[in-house]
Amino acid sequence: MKVAIIGGGLAGSLLAVYMARRNYEVHIFEKRPDSRKVGYEGGRSINLALSHRGIRALEDLGVADEILPLAIRMRGRMIHDLQGRQTFLPYGKDENEYINSISRGGLNEALMNIAERYPKVKFYFECPCLDIDFEQNIVYFKDFNFQADVIFATDGAGSIVRQKMVERGFCKDNTDFLAHGYKELEIPARSNGEFLLDKHSLHIWARDSFMLIALPNLNGSFTVTLFLQNEGEESFATLNTPYKARQFFQKYFPDALALMPDFEVDFFRNPVGLLGTLKSYPWKAHKTLLLGDAAHAIVPFYGQGMNASFEDCYLLDKLIDEYNQEWEQIFEVYQKQRKKDTDAIADLALENFIEMRDKVNDEDFQRMRKLEYFLENNYPDYHSKYSMVTFHPEIPYSVAQKLGNKQNEYLLELCQKYQDIHEISLQEAYDSLKNLQKQVLT
Ligand code: FAD
């Protein structure tokens, strides 16, 4: 069995391990040079949040123990208000529910190293795929062609394979760009290597229509990301001089600015990235399948793009056994089962943008999170929407979305009614939530 994987990014490298475990011959074709030799080019975020859906795949492959030490645990959101006050909102019900900040380059390289331990795995770098003959399973490159038995396209949101599928009528796609872009900055470590902010939090400076976040890195620094409108009065377009950029940060993020000695340099060196939601379907053309961002790129506000891509690989692997390597049938079943869930996480990610940038400051919302925290601690079978998405891979994204939104509607109403959540009967709230669950799941 000769497998071609187009794109050796996060999904491609993980999929290579899955395929190699089956003793297949695995050929991964990557457009970029080998980052282990020339350094990681980046281009997307420097670090990202790895959570249970991604970890489930790593555990399934027996490599979680090797990967997780590369990450820093983030136990909740640290909300920074305009006065510099910090409020901690835990993500989960206890110390065991956290997300993990991990370097994109470090994770990608670790997965490539793990894949290469299998003798039949070969990476080809600086080898961009140019085209595919979907009927014959032939992949075209500049100087050679490759005949495969089955082809996986994990070549990211701008997938050339998807473009060719669309051109030939196998697939339809649509990308909705957000009016916001993002720019990465840095809070360095103190000279003795210490973190300048709490290292076990995802820091958020939410300012209604825009926000700043910071995720910790192993070397004591934080990667800071500004999400801001591309155009308009306060936007990337108008922050066009060092003075204006500094004034803007001084006004909205003074405590963060004080921790960024190279602010102006970073601000004008680092590009503004685009953010969009890509939906496509069908994902299969004969024995070629789109996976990961190539099939469903989402905005980063739930920290789920990579996790969903890893889940793609996990779910596909289960179907290979179930349908005994009948590839066209496997791909058909896979795409039918998976589409509703990737659509759901795409919508959840957009909804979470609103939650992160303006609801976290809202008092009713903060009370609702506190109430949920009590509920989750007193009733182990109650899970908040965030918890379902992030910590419970056994709950499909589409169920988490439907049930989570209903739960939030109910709880928010309750918190608007009671200013002190201790006046709320937890048992009554729990019983009502259980009823909601029954309604949604039947
Ligand atoms: P990519 O990582 O984009 O990899 C595609 C690979 O294909 C690349 O190596 C590329 O060089 C290669 N390639 C492209 N074209 C070709 C070609 N023609 N031939 C050969 N190779 C090719 N997700 C999370 O889960 N948690 C987070 O916290 C998170 N934060 C994010 C923050 C930001 C700012 C952004 C933009 C995204 C974030 N994501 C996050 C999403 C995550 O980055 C993606 O979902 C993930 O990278 C998808 O992996 P992939 O392998 O499908 O695509």
Side-chain angles (χ1 to χ4, degrees):
M1 176 65 65
K2 239 188 206 181
V3 177
I5 298 179
I6 314 302
L10 294 171
S13 315
L14 184 91
L15 185 67
V17 184
Y18 263 115
M19 293 296 133
R21 189 171 70 161
R22 296 181 167 274
N23 204 23
Y24 297 160
E25 212 182 279
V26 188
H27 300 259
I28 306 105
F29 301 95
E30 168 55 46
K31 183 169 76 171
R32 292 185 191 162
D34 186 349
S35 61
R36 294 166 297 180
K37 293 190 179 134
V38 301
Y40 195 74
E41 256 181 46
R44 313 286 295 276
S45 61
I46 290 168
N47 53 19
L48 19 72
L50 169 68
S51 52
H52 283 41
R53 289 176 201 265
I55 294 172
R56 178 170 64 164
L58 299 173
E59 280 172 347
D60 187 35
L61 288 168
V63 300
D65 289 347
E66 200 170 329
I67 300 286
L68 288 175
L70 306 175
I72 298 182
R73 296 174 180 188
M74 297 184 290
R75 299 210 162 87
R77 297 165 169 167
M78 186 70 84
I79 310 301
H80 296 246
D81 72 11
L82 262 177
Q83 283 69 43
R85 283 181 301 238
Q86 301 186 27
T87 310
F88 182 73
L89 300 178
Y91 278 130
K93 64 177 188 309
D94 58 36
E95 290 268 294
N96 296 319
E97 292 194 334
Y98 51 82
I99 60 176
N100 302 275
S101 175
I102 191 161
S103 143
R104 176 187 292 271
L107 174 57
N108 205 156
E109 289 172 10
L111 290 172
M112 288 196 280
N113 290 337
I114 291 167
E116 278 181 343
R117 284 182 207 148
Y118 291 87
K120 292 195 213 160
V121 169
K122 186 164 180 206
F123 279 87
Y124 305 69
F125 293 99
E126 297 178 82
C127 201
C129 159
L130 302 178
D131 202 350
I132 290 189
D133 179 336
F134 296 107
E135 280 76 19
Q136 305 293 326
N137 297 330
I138 302 171
V139 191
Y140 293 96
F141 301 94
K142 188 164 164 261
D143 301 317
F144 66 103
N145 305 334
F146 185 85
Q147 175 72 61
D149 292 314
V150 63
I151 302 168
F152 295 100
T154 47
D155 51 343
S159 168
I160 183 88
V161 180
R162 192 185 70 247
Q163 274 176 43
K164 298 293 171 192
M165 280 190 181
V166 170
E167 275 171 31
R168 290 171 205 155
F170 288 108
C171 166
K172 286 197 174 127
D173 68 358
N174 176 57
T175 305
D176 275 333
F177 286 101
L178 222 55
H180 288 66
Y182 70 96
K183 187 187 276 284
E184 291 193 325
L185 304 163
E186 193 199 27
I187 294 179
R190 214 187 284 275
S191 54
N192 61 3
E194 278 175 13
F195 288 84
L196 286 169
L197 294 170
D198 177 52
K199 73 180 229 189
H200 290 301
S201 298
L202 191 155
H203 295 265
I204 305 183
W205 292 256
R207 301 291 181 261
D208 294 341
S209 64
F210 51 84
M211 69 173 176
L212 195 69
I213 66 167
L215 273 73
N217 296 309
L218 281 180
N219 67 1
S221 68
F222 284 84
T223 301
V224 178
T225 310
L226 170 65
F227 295 97
L228 178 69
Q229 292 90 330
N230 293 316
E231 305 286 336
E233 204 177 318
E234 281 175 323
S235 68
F236 282 119
T238 57
L239 299 187
N240 51 9
T241 66
Y243 176 76
K244 286 187 194 165
R246 180 166 280 276
Q247 286 294 99
F248 176 79
F249 267 70
Q250 191 59 53
K251 183 171 171 193
Y252 293 110
F253 314 115
D255 54 339
L257 179 64
L259 305 177
M260 291 192 266
D262 293 328
F263 170 73
E264 281 88 352
V265 176
D266 286 351
F267 196 92
F268 287 96
R269 184 189 49 207
N270 297 345
V272 176
L274 291 177
L275 296 169
T277 302
L278 162 94
K279 289 188 178 169
S280 72
Y281 202 74
W283 295 328
K284 92 180 247 292
H286 299 292
K287 289 187 185 168
T288 298
L289 182 71
L290 302 173
L291 282 172
D293 273 18
H296 47 73
I298 61 179
V299 295
F301 305 109
Y302 232 113
Q304 285 294 315
M306 166 189 65
N307 288 291
S309 302
F310 282 10
E311 192 172 63
D312 287 355
C313 301
Y314 172 90
L315 295 171
L316 176 78
D317 185 66
K318 305 294 156 255
L319 291 176
I320 298 175
D321 290 331
E322 207 175 311
Y323 291 91
N324 198 25
Q325 303 183 45
E326 290 292 334
W327 293 103
E328 294 220 33
Q329 197 187 357
I330 292 165
F331 292 176
E332 191 62 44
V333 174
Y334 167 80
Q335 65 180 11
K336 276 207 179 113
Q337 285 182 357
R338 187 71 175 140
K339 174 68 172 154
K340 61 179 181 318
D341 291 316
T342 59
D343 281 353
I345 189 58
D347 298 342
L348 282 162
L350 285 165
E351 290 162 18
N352 212 41
F353 182 35
I354 299 169
E355 178 170 319
M356 282 174 89
R357 69 176 204 217
D358 50 41
K359 289 211 188 124
V360 288
N361 285 333
D362 183 286
E363 284 182 10
D364 292 339
F365 177 82
Q366 291 194 1
R367 275 204 307 283
M368 183 185 95
R369 283 300 299 143
K370 277 196 191 127
L371 177 59
E372 275 206 305
Y373 184 72
F374 291 137
L375 282 163
E376 285 188 298
N377 270 286
N378 282 284
Y379 304 96
D381 64 338
Y382 175 75
H383 308 302
S384 68
K385 180 167 82 168
Y386 186 86
S387 169
M388 285 190 270
V389 170
T390 309
F391 304 123
H392 290 280
E394 74 284 3
I395 303 177
Y397 285 129
S398 53
V399 175
Q401 180 190 29
K402 218 168 154 188
L403 181 57
N405 286 344
K406 288 265 177 239
Q407 288 178 178
N408 281 6
E409 257 171 51
Y410 167 77
L411 290 172
L412 205 55
E413 223 171 83
L414 210 56
C415 289
Q416 280 159 351
K417 211 155 114 196
Y418 295 94
Q419 291 304 303
D420 180 357
I421 55 168
H422 297 101
E423 288 171 19
I424 298 170
S425 153
L426 272 192
Q427 186 61 45
E428 272 175 37
Y430 172 76
D431 291 342
S432 305
L433 288 161
K434 276 273 125 191
N435 275 335
L436 270 184
Q437 190 181 1
K438 263 189 224 139
Q439 284 166 26
V440 170
L441 298 182
T442 47

